[in-house]
Amino acid sequence: MAETKKINWVHFSTLVAVAILVGTEMVGASWAAGWALGGLLQLDPLVSRAIEAGFALCGFVLLYYFMRTAIKNEPIRN
């Protein structure tokens, strides 16, 4: 049987902190970019919200790829 590895709580807490910090920055900045673009182009509020949602979705996708790379470099299990 395969032996299960123990969780390294230091790495786990570091990755949670990084996810919160980077996630807030990345999603917030992309959402704000959508808001700014909608305001700059004086778009209809519904179109502006759609652009904000699209940019926020891009921020979540970037966060996913960032966290995938972070977990490769700092594994949770030893």
Side-chain angles (χ1 to χ4, degrees):
M1 291 197 95
E3 183 180 329
T4 59
K5 297 179 181 178
K6 293 187 179 194
I7 293 176
N8 185 337
W9 291 105
V10 174
H11 288 185
F12 180 78
S13 65
T14 301
L15 289 170
V16 168
V18 164
I20 292 169
L21 178 66
V22 173
T24 302
E25 291 290 329
M26 203 171 296
V27 174
S30 60
W31 198 306
W35 170 80
L37 188 61
L40 184 65
L41 298 176
Q42 297 180 352
L43 298 174
D44 186 62
L46 184 60
V47 175
S48 182
R49 297 283 186 234
I51 291 173
E52 288 175 30
F55 275 51
L57 182 63
C58 290
F60 280 114
V61 169
L62 289 171
L63 177 62
Y64 168 75
Y65 285 113
F66 176 82
M67 287 307 298
R68 195 172 72 170
T69 304
I71 290 171
K72 282 182 188 175
N73 290 315
E74 187 142 345
I76 295 173
R77 296 190 181 266
N78 287 342

